[in-house]
Structure formats: structure tokens, C-alpha cells
């Protein structure tokens, strides 16, 4: 594991860390920036467009589905219903593009149609059986009532805020052209209250300013519901997403297994195998010299004996890298203590488990801690480290802490990112907290599966 610590990670340090894009500080608070930010205007455009678009969607969906349902008594009903659902799928593509452009919501494409047989009838069956089609239809129906509500609230609040905040600029229109002193606040036929003096005009503008500042946040809260609808009804289903994740994880597992096999083959070829070949040649030479020069033959046998010990040690190390016997026989506590004893810094190991996890999870936990401790030995420049292992409900928790220079980064394509991919392949998580200057705290979560009979 070739993870580096410290300056090599390019962590943001110094006074420039608090700067925004382009090195400029954002001195204006977010509450004051919101009304003039591009995001607020894009969200406003999304809400304003939603009403006419939702009317068209609702009209199309209800008309086509009603027509198809009414024609089910004939052979035309099923094709019309399939066409209605296909149109809703196309509408879903347009709505995902609109949400991507105006809301910045990147929703993946849903699962494509899977035709079990070719031809028009196969296409009809695939459309009718697709959950994506029915969810798109549901979106087309539900979008209208929500669009009416969000449009009404947005237009009311937005126009109220801007009309009040600009009241000092246009209040003179009322006495000149409307025949009243200002905005009428109260009137009962006997008495009327108008906002016409400088103080009342200033207060009105202040109230309008509050509405103007609050409008982007109200619109953003309304568009959160749109985000949920687009993501939940027009995006890929949870099952499809899970299938994609499992396919990706399977690829990681296959690549990791292939890399491990190549590493084992290379270590055998370059290490123990080459040493055993030399040993066989030395023993052959010793056999030839046995009668002519027994002392030289004895020396060669003695050297071969040393080579055998070295080869055995290399094979033990290789076997330990595949799966250590101490892990199988005595569990994580003893195995991690053995790994900690080989670390270049003192390591405190604490394992708090009332039972052993499944062998696969136990092995992943062992190699995770082993790689993290190798990281500590090679790159951290630490003087101590600690390993903690415990169970939290249905998760196996691992934590490795050291007081080194810090600066480890999970996003830099280092050994830590490879370790995170391996954990992700079994629904695990790797979290790195390593500020520049240390300390470094790496926490790993693995799913807990109880040990079966070994």
C-alpha cells in the first residue's frame, strides 16, 4: 500500500483555505446573496415553467390512459395504453433534462426496456411490464397539483416582496392616478389607513426586503419536493441501482482476486521457486563432490540447509499474506496482535468482540488493519498507533489511529482509495480523518455476519 502522508496530498493549508472560487473571499452572507444568485433565478424559472408543463403532462396522461382503458374491450386498448406509457417515458426524459439544467439535479437514466421477444407485441409487453413506465405515468399525474401549489406560493411571495421593497419608487402613482394616498392598510367606510408618510413607506420597504430575502429559500424548499419526485419517480429504481452497484462490486472483487493471484504467482516465481531451484543445483553439486571432496560437499549441504530455512520463511510469509493460520485458529485479537508486533512503532490493540464474525468478514478486517499498519510504518512518521475493533449493532467497526504527520487523502488515487473500493465491494465504508499535522484516524465499517460452524 503506497499511501503517502503530509505535503504530497496537496491539502489546502494556510490562509487561502478559506477563500472561495478563484481565490476571492465571499464577504456577503448567503442570506443576502440568495436573491441575486443564478441558482435562485433558475429555481424560479423551474417553478414558473412547471405549471404549463404539468398541465400538458396531466392532460396527455389522463386522456391517453382513459382512452386506452376505454378501448380495452377491443384489440386497440392495449396498444393505446402501451403508447400512453411510452409517451410518459419520453416525458420523463424531458423532465430529467429540465431538472438537470435548472435544478442541477443529475438523475441517472432508468433501466431500459428489456424485450423478451422481438416484434411489436414484445415491445408492448415490455412497456406494460416496466415499472419505469408506470412511475413516469404517476409523475405526470402528481405533478399538476404540486405545480399549482408551488406556482401560487412562489408568484405570490415573489411579487409581494419586490412590489413592497420598491414601494418608495412607485407609491406616487396611487395619489396621482388612483385617487388614494397610498396602499390602503385598513378601511371600513368611516376610516381608512394608508401607507403614505415617510416612516410607513420605509417600514413597508423593510417588510418587502424581508419577503425578498426569504423568497429564494421558500422557492428552494418547494423545489426540494420536485427533486424528490424527479429522483424517486423518473430515476432508476432502488432495485436497478442496487443491481448496478453489485455488478460494479463484482468487478472490483474479480479484479482484486486476479491481482492477488498475480502477486502470489510473482512472489512464488521470484522468491521461493528460484531459491528452491538453486537449492536443487547445490545439492546436485554436493552429491557429485561427496566422494571426491567430502568436506566441500558438507559445506555445500550446510549452505543448502540455510537456503531451505530461508525458503521456508518466505513460504510462511506468503501463506500469512494469503490467510494467516493464527487468524483461523485464534481469531482477530491474536492475529492483529501479531501484525502489531511487526509494526515499526508501538501499537495498542483492543478487540471487543463477544463472538467471531464470518470468516470472509474476519479476513477482510484483518487485511484492512494490516494494510493500515503498513501505512503507518512506511509513511506516517508516527511514534505510536492504536487499533480498536468492536461491534455496533449489525456493523463490525475498525479504527486505526496514529500521531503521525497526517495529510492522508482518500480521493487522490492512493492505496487508501483501493482499500475503500475493496470494502465497498462487501458493503463496507472507509472514512479518513487526517488533517495536515495529524493525527490520522481511519475508520472502517464492515457488515456483521456471524460465524458459522468452521
Amino acid at each position: 500500500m503506497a499511501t503517502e502522508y503530509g505535503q504530497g496530498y496537496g491539502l489546502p493549508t494556510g490562509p487561502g483555505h478559506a477563500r472561495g472560487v478563484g481565490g476571492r473571499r465571499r464577504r456577503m452572507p448567503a442570506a443576502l446573496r440568495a436573491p441575486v444568485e443564478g441558482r435562485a433565478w433558475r429555481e424560479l424559472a423551474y417553478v414558473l415553467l412547471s405549471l404549463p408543463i404539468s398541465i400538458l403532462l396531466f392532460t396527455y396522461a389522463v386522456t391517453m390512459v382513459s382512452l386506452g382503458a376505454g378501448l380495452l374491450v377491443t384489440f386497440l386498448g392495449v396498444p393505446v395504453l402501451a403508447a400512453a406509457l411510452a409517451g410518459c417515458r419520453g416525458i420523463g426524459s424531458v423532465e430529467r433534462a429540465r431538472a438537470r439544467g435548472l435544478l442541477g439535479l443529475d438523475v441517472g437514466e432508468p433501466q431500459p426496456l428489456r424485450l423478451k421477444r422481438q416484434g411489436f407485441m414484445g415491445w408492448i409487453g415490455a412497456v406494460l411490464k416496466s415499472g419505469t413506465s408506470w412511475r413516469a405515468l404517476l409523475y405526470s399525474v402528481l405533478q399538476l397539483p404540486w405545480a399549482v401549489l408551488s406556482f401560487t406560493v412562489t408568484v405570490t411571495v415573489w411579487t409581494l416582496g419586490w412590489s413592497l421593497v420598491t414601494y418608495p419608487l412607485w407609491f406616487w402613482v396611487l395619489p396621482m392616478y388612483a385617487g388614494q394616498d397610498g396602499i390602503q392598510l385598513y378601511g371600513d367606510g368611516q376610516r381608512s389607513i394608508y401607507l403614505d408618510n415617510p416612516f410607513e413607506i420605509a417600514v413597508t420597504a423593510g417588510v418587502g426586503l424581508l419577503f425578498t430575502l426569504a423568497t429564494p429559500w421558500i422557492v428552494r424548499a418547494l423545489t426540494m419536493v420536485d427533486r424528490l419526485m424527479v429522483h424517486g419517480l423518473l430515476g432508476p429504481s432502488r432495485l436497478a441501482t442496487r443491481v448496478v452497484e453489485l455488478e460494479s462490486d463484482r468487478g472490483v472483487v474479480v479484479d482484486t482476486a486476479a491481482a492477488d493471484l498475480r502477486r502470489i504467482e510473482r512472489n512464488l516465481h521470484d522468491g521461493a521457486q528460484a531459491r528452491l531451484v538453486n537449492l536443487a543445483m547445490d545439492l546436485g553439486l554436493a552429491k557429485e563432490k561427496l566422494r571426491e571432496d567430502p568436506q566441500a560437499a558438507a559445506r555445500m549441504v550446510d549452505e543448502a540447509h540455510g537456503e531451505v530455512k530461508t525458503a521456508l520463511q518466505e513460504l510462511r510469509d506468503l501463506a500469512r499474506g494469503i490467510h494467516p493460520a493464527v487468524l483461523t485458529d485464534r481469531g482477530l485479537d491474536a492475529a492483529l496482535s501479531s501484525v502489531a508486533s511487526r509494526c515499526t512503532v508501538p501499537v495498542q490493540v483492543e478487540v471487543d468482540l463477544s463472538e467471531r464474525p464470518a470468516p470472509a468478514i474476519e479476513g477482510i478486517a484483518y487485511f484492512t488493519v494490516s494494510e493500515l499498519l503498513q501505512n503507518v510504518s512506511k509513511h506516517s512518521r508516527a511514534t505510536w498507533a492504536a487499533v480498536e475493533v468492536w461491534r455496533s449493532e449489525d456493523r463490525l467497526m475498525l479504527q486505526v489511529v496514529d500521531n503521525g504527520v497526517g495529510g492522508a487523502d482518500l480521493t487522490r488515487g492512493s492505496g487508501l482509495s483501493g482499500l475503500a473500493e475493496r470494502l465497498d465491494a462487501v458493503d463496507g465504508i472507509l472514512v479518513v480523518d487526517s488533517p495536515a499535522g495529524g493525527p490520522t484516524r481511519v475508520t472502517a465499517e464492515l457488515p456483521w455476519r456471524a460465524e458459522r460452524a468452521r
Side-chain angles (χ1 to χ4, degrees), residues 99-163:
R100 187 180 305 112
L102 296 178
L103 298 183
L105 178 64
D106 192 6
V107 180
E109 294 290 330
Q111 187 178 13
L113 291 177
R114 293 187 176 182
L115 302 181
K116 292 186 178 180
R117 58 177 181 173
Q118 298 299 321
F120 183 64
M121 297 305 297
W123 176 82
I124 290 177
V127 171
L128 294 177
K129 292 179 181 179
S130 173
T132 301
S133 304
W134 293 100
R135 285 188 284 114
L137 173 63
L138 181 61
Y139 174 86
S140 301
V141 174
L142 294 180
Q143 175 70 3
L144 178 60
W146 175 250
V148 171
L149 175 62
S150 59
F151 182 90
T152 303
V153 173
T154 298
V155 171
T156 301
V157 176
W158 190 84
T159 55
L160 179 64
W162 282 101
S163 61

Side-chain angles (χ1 to χ4, degrees), residues 38 53 65 81 94 126 162 167 172 176 178 201 213-214 225 255 274 295 322 345 349 397 422:
I53 291 176
V65 172
L81 187 58
V94 175
W162 282 101
Y167 183 54
W172 56 270
M176 182 172 293
I201 293 173
L213 295 177
V225 178
D255 293 341
Q295 293 182 353
I322 299 173
V345 300
V349 178
M397 309 294 296
R422 295 189 182 188

Side-chain angles (χ1 to χ4, degrees), residues 113-325:
L113 291 177
R114 293 187 176 182
L115 302 181
K116 292 186 178 180
R117 58 177 181 173
Q118 298 299 321
F120 183 64
M121 297 305 297
W123 176 82
I124 290 177
V127 171
L128 294 177
K129 292 179 181 179
S130 173
T132 301
S133 304
W134 293 100
R135 285 188 284 114
L137 173 63
L138 181 61
Y139 174 86
S140 301
V141 174
L142 294 180
Q143 175 70 3
L144 178 60
W146 175 250
V148 171
L149 175 62
S150 59
F151 182 90
T152 303
V153 173
T154 298
V155 171
T156 301
V157 176
W158 190 84
T159 55
L160 179 64
W162 282 101
S163 61
L164 292 181
V165 77
T166 58
Y167 183 54
L169 302 177
W170 59 267
F171 80 97
W172 56 270
V173 174
L174 295 174
M176 182 172 293
Y177 296 103
Q180 62 184 47
D181 296 333
I183 295 178
Q184 185 175 3
L185 190 62
Y186 172 79
D188 58 2
Q190 297 180 353
R191 183 183 175 212
S192 298
I193 299 177
Y194 295 96
L195 302 175
D196 55 357
N197 62 59
F199 174 75
E200 293 173 345
I201 293 173
V203 171
T204 302
V207 173
L209 179 61
L210 294 179
F211 273 99
T212 302
L213 295 177
T215 298
W217 305 102
I218 295 174
V219 174
R220 192 161 300 171
L222 294 172
T223 56
M224 287 301 298
V225 178
D226 292 280
R227 295 170 188 270
L228 293 175
M229 292 177 61
V230 172
H231 188 274
L233 296 178
L234 301 182
S237 63
R238 291 185 178 181
L239 180 59
T241 303
R242 183 58 177 162
V243 169
V244 173
E245 291 178 354
L246 291 177
E247 290 176 349
S248 176
D249 293 344
R250 181 182 62 184
V252 172
V253 171
V254 171
D255 293 341
T256 302
D260 289 339
L261 288 176
R262 289 193 297 269
R263 176 180 58 82
I264 293 170
E265 188 276 336
R266 184 174 60 253
N267 291 340
L268 283 173
H269 183 272
D270 298 339
Q273 180 179 344
R275 196 174 296 278
L276 290 175
V277 170
N278 292 332
L279 175 62
M281 295 176 60
D282 291 342
L283 289 176
L285 293 175
K287 182 179 179 181
E288 293 178 358
K289 289 183 175 292
L290 183 60
R291 293 182 179 179
E292 300 175 2
D293 191 354
Q295 293 182 353
R299 287 194 302 271
M300 297 179 68
V301 170
D302 186 60
E303 293 175 357
H305 183 260
E307 289 289 323
V308 169
K309 291 183 178 179
T310 304
L312 287 175
Q313 183 60 42
E314 290 182 356
L315 290 174
R316 290 193 189 98
D317 294 338
L318 183 61
R320 187 184 296 114
I322 299 173
H323 194 86

Side-chain angles (χ1 to χ4, degrees), residues 52-69 79-92 123 127 133 136-141 144:
I53 291 176
S54 64
I55 293 175
L56 295 177
L57 300 186
F58 184 87
T59 303
Y60 169 82
V62 172
T63 302
M64 292 295 293
V65 172
S66 300
L67 180 61
V80 171
L81 187 58
L85 294 177
C88 290
R89 290 177 67 99
I91 289 170
W123 176 82
V127 171
S133 304
L137 173 63
L138 181 61
Y139 174 86
S140 301
V141 174
L144 178 60

